Amino acid sequence: MRRISGFRTRGFAPAARLAAGFAVVLVCLAAGGAVAPLLPVRLPGALVGMVMLAALLAAHRGRVAVAAGEAGALLLRRYALFFVPAGVGVMTGAGALRADWPAVVAALLVSSLLALAVTGLTMRLLLGSRASAPRAALPAAGGHE
């Protein structure tokens, strides 16, 4: 299989590549939304679509993957703009937040500490299994014993 970086996309104009990349992402999102209700477990359609996109990109490494990668890179460069609607929502709901600020602060602190603890325990579990594996003896520095 050829690597994604090995493909040249000279035949497409940059705008057409981006449009094709966004189309691939949106089609996977729509397909995920259509497939999610049919699954035996409840999963968000966006998550199912993301898994479909990952499978598509893993299986197809041609121009489709290059176009979707370029569209994703553009989205990541403009990632901060996705926080604007959330910030506007916080500002418009400031009155409700002001009334319940102790509960909001407590929820933020507890969820942050819980996420930190779960991440730490997971890393300890994963790294602990690596540390228990036998290691090869390292030669002394400089080649002398």
Side-chain angles (χ1 to χ4, degrees), residues 122-136:
T122 303
M123 287 302 296
R124 177 176 280 190
L125 177 73
L126 292 174
L127 292 177
S129 63
R130 283 178 75 193
S132 63
R135 295 183 183 189

Side-chain angles (χ1 to χ4, degrees), residues 4 12 15-33 45-46 48-72 75:
I4 291 175
F12 294 108
R17 275 197 319 268
L18 285 176
F22 283 122
V24 168
V25 171
L26 290 175
V27 164
C28 287
L29 177 66
V48 175
M50 188 171 23
V51 170
M52 294 171 122
L53 179 64
L56 174 73
L57 295 179
H60 188 277
R61 298 183 182 266
R63 288 186 173 165
V64 172
V66 171
E70 289 177 1
L75 287 174

Side-chain angles (χ1 to χ4, degrees), residues 27-107:
V27 164
C28 287
L29 177 66
V35 170
L38 305 174
L39 295 175
V41 293
R42 294 192 63 188
L43 292 173
L47 177 66
V48 175
M50 188 171 23
V51 170
M52 294 171 122
L53 179 64
L56 174 73
L57 295 179
H60 188 277
R61 298 183 182 266
R63 288 186 173 165
V64 172
V66 171
E70 289 177 1
L74 177 68
L75 287 174
L76 286 176
R77 283 194 304 268
R78 307 292 182 252
Y79 190 66
L81 292 176
F82 294 119
F83 290 100
V84 171
V88 170
V90 167
M91 296 306 289
T92 58
L97 287 176
R98 191 175 297 124
D100 295 326
W101 73 267
V104 171
V105 169

